[in-house]
Amino acid sequence: MWTKKDLQQLIKDKMGDYLFIVVSNRQPYVHVSKKGKIECQRGAGGVITALDPVMQACNGTWVAFGSGDADRKVADKAGRLKVPTDNPAYTLRRVWLTKEEENGYYYGYSNEALWPLCHTAFERPQFRKEDWECYRKVNEKFAKAVIDEVGGKKAFVWIQDYHLCLLPKYLKEIAPNQLIVAHFWHIPWPSYETFRICPQKKELLDGLLANDLLGFHIRYHCDNFFNVVDREVECKIDRERFSIVRGGHETLVRPYPISVDFEGIDKMSASPNVAKAKNSLVEEFGLSGTKVLLGLDRIDYTKGIPERLLAIDRLLEKHPELKEKIVFLQMGEISRLHIPKYKVLNDELNALVEEINWKHSTDSWKPVILVRRHLSFEELLAFYHIGDVCVVSSLHDGMNLVAKEFISTCSDERGMLVLSSFTGASRELTDAILVNPYDREQFSEGIFRALTLPEEERAKRMKKMREVVGHDNIYRWAGMVLADLFKFEFKEQFVQNGTSF
Ligand code: GDG
């Protein structure tokens, strides 16, 4: 089993004197003003959950968009500070964006064009020229910040996600011999039929093929990428070696399934603070004595939350004997509300909850509780403990860390996971109850099955899933990417008659 120590050792052995830089849109720590005081919050979301422990283990630099209203107050002139504040372990370099840039690059091109383009959730992507211009400009800004951090040295750069497609190309143009660049794509990569509608497809591929290493969660996404490149770019593809050579430059394309800090979560979820949080949440929501079906997501149309509610509705139609015995608790952090589709989704959820509760409630019981709020990590773990069955029903998801976090907290092996087959996680977690969230009958039966599975069967399945997540944990994910990254060699720089090659 990979540990934080193994990862530290790998970095010590292989990194030498080179710098290590992670680049992502979202920062790991955000500073916000609250009641006249500055508060430091650890950001939510898969990428941060995954990479913060990695960075703490290797003392690198993380370049990200400074999004907090108090961010500038705690950073130096260049936007740098040491994090985490209570135990400084690495450098955070903030990139400052104007409101207009944030709108066009983040809400516009990243989340109204690329996000729906890459997820098969049947939401039409919006390609606006102004958004694309902002996206380009912001990718250039990130490139300048990275180059600034690199100085004249050599560095391994690890870029995260779909916000920064053009960054590898800009970096390689500025410092071709100084950088080895890897990029991890956290969301699915679509089929050629879908990708070909994108007006900026050539530029996006051009950016991504400047990477030395490009990672996806699963083999299926790598294959989709190969198919797209095959149809759109003049290049040599070697699928056996997972390699694409274009214009003399090779990009290796590999699957690396992301995971969670299994041991850390397991340990923390047994702490007295989590037990205390659990008791007070059970009391707050009146959950004692009922079986709890738990949903926990960023509120996003790809996560299949309306489909989940409809499955609960069907479950109660078919099994009225479950009334007053179960509660479906949907926790959700509000996300991307500036985008109209997300506003519509939130209204849709309110209406659905209202309707289902009206239809099935009794004098003393309501089947659905929907709560939108940001949870502390301890509260999050407490909710996982409260859930007898965790329901993950994404319409499409690169991996899905909620599923793996839930499993990490189930040390008593009593919980069960209902999981959409359209998540990357379903490839590894084959002992979950796998469902198609579009199929209401099958989905509701899946939930019923999870609720009624005999104890030994549940324990057997949960044990196997815990072995999978425990073995393929976050340190293994980072270790696999880094081990491949460290195999690349920096190009020697030859200087002849004042020209460098
Ligand atoms: C993308 C891909 C891929 C949620 N609410 C709170 C909170 N969370 C945390 C969860 C979990 C994370 O957010 C969500 O991770 P997911 O993997 O489910 O989803 P995305 O945000 O869409 O992530 C996804 C991931 O990248 C990693 O590659 O798995 O497929 O879409 O860790 O615990 N955390 C806290 N409070 C909350 O209220 N603290």
Side-chain angles (χ1 to χ4, degrees), residues 26 154 205 265 364 378 465:
R26 194 173 311 186
K154 293 193 171 175
L205 293 174
I265 294 177
S364 57
E378 280 170 357
M465 290 195 282

Side-chain angles (χ1 to χ4, degrees), residues 44-47 49 115 119 184 186-187 217 258 296-298 303 333 373-377 380 384 397-402 405:
V47 180
T49 310
W115 179 266
H119 287 90
F184 191 79
H186 289 262
I187 63 176
H217 290 298
I258 204 168
L296 198 154
D297 315 74
R298 231 176 6 86
K303 302 289 180 188
E333 186 167 25
R373 72 175 191 216
H374 176 78
L375 307 171
S376 69
F377 201 58
L380 188 101
Y384 287 138
D397 217 330
M399 176 53 68
N400 194 287
L401 295 180
V402 167
E405 286 166 1

Side-chain angles (χ1 to χ4, degrees), residues 114-363:
L114 288 177
W115 179 266
L117 181 76
C118 292
H119 287 90
T120 313
F122 306 99
E123 175 61 20
R124 188 185 273 214
Q126 304 293 325
F127 301 108
R128 285 181 289 259
K129 190 171 164 282
E130 319 80 81
D131 291 347
W132 169 248
E133 284 309 320
C134 268
Y135 186 85
R136 260 186 349 96
K137 217 168 111 193
V138 170
N139 270 251
E140 266 170 20
K141 249 190 182 178
F142 270 90
K144 282 189 193 129
V146 173
I147 296 294
D148 205 20
E149 292 302 311
V150 169
K153 303 200 192 90
K154 293 193 171 175
F156 290 103
V157 181
W158 190 3
I159 303 167
Q160 305 297 322
D161 236 348
Y162 60 100
H163 315 88
L164 299 167
C165 279
L166 306 176
L167 179 60
K169 180 170 183 257
Y170 294 153
L171 290 177
K172 286 294 180 93
E173 279 171 358
I174 306 172
N177 302 322
Q178 268 171 268
L179 306 177
I180 289 179
V181 183
H183 200 143
F184 191 79
W185 193 263
H186 289 262
I187 63 176
W189 186 273
S191 69
Y192 175 65
E193 278 307 309
T194 303
F195 187 75
R196 69 179 179 155
I197 66 165
C198 176
Q200 292 82 25
K201 59 188 172 188
K202 294 266 188 241
E203 290 92 328
L204 295 175
L205 293 174
D206 218 31
L208 290 173
L209 289 173
N211 282 300
D212 297 294
L213 180 65
L214 175 60
F216 295 97
H217 290 298
I218 55 173
R219 175 74 191 262
Y220 183 60
H221 301 153
C222 296
D223 284 342
N224 279 348
F225 186 76
F226 281 124
N227 292 342
V228 163
V229 171
D230 204 6
R231 301 287 289 266
E232 292 289 343
V233 182
E234 216 169 289
C235 62
K236 184 169 162 264
I237 296 181
D238 182 340
R239 288 185 193 235
E240 230 163 83
R241 288 193 57 248
F242 289 91
S243 136
I244 299 172
V245 179
R246 191 197 48 157
H249 177 261
E250 181 175 51
T251 306
L252 295 183
V253 180
R254 301 250 162 102
Y256 304 97
I258 204 168
S259 192
V260 296
D261 179 8
F262 177 85
E263 259 189 305
I265 294 177
D266 189 41
K267 210 161 137 198
M268 190 167 166
S269 71
S271 74
N273 280 354
V274 171
K276 212 168 123 199
K278 180 182 167 184
N279 291 341
S280 76
L281 292 168
V282 166
E283 201 180 316
E284 180 183 347
F285 295 110
L287 299 171
S288 108
T290 45
K291 285 237 179 220
V292 176
L293 296 159
L294 176 75
L296 198 154
D297 315 74
R298 231 176 6 86
I299 305 232
D300 192 292
Y301 56 83
T302 61
K303 302 289 180 188
I305 309 171
E307 286 74 8
R308 204 176 296 169
L309 287 165
L310 290 170
I312 297 291
D313 176 36
R314 188 73 189 117
L315 175 76
L316 291 169
E317 279 173 2
K318 285 197 291 188
H319 300 283
E321 73 278 9
L322 291 175
K323 287 192 181 186
E324 299 189 347
K325 297 204 177 83
I326 61 160
V327 165
F328 174 57
L329 177 61
Q330 174 65 50
M331 301 302 300
E333 186 167 25
I334 290 179
S335 172
R336 304 176 193 167
L337 254 197
H338 296 301
I339 299 175
K341 176 67 196 174
Y342 287 74
K343 222 179 150 297
V344 171
L345 171 69
N346 272 282
D347 295 344
E348 186 188 351
L349 291 179
N350 290 341
L352 266 173
V353 171
E354 183 73 34
E355 197 183 313
I356 296 170
N357 278 342
W358 182 82
K359 185 168 156 188
H360 298 284
S361 63
T362 65
D363 287 348

Side-chain angles (χ1 to χ4, degrees), residues 392-393 418-422 433-437 442-444 446-447:
V392 172
S393 55
V418 174
L419 179 64
S420 158
S421 338
F422 310 129
I433 307 264
L434 297 179
V435 293
N436 171 358
Q442 187 240 22
F443 186 5
S444 61
I447 298 176

Side-chain angles (χ1 to χ4, degrees), residues 422-439:
F422 310 129
T423 58
S426 69
R427 304 293 202 277
E428 294 163 89
L429 304 176
T430 47
D431 281 291
I433 307 264
L434 297 179
V435 293
N436 171 358
Y438 290 96
D439 183 343

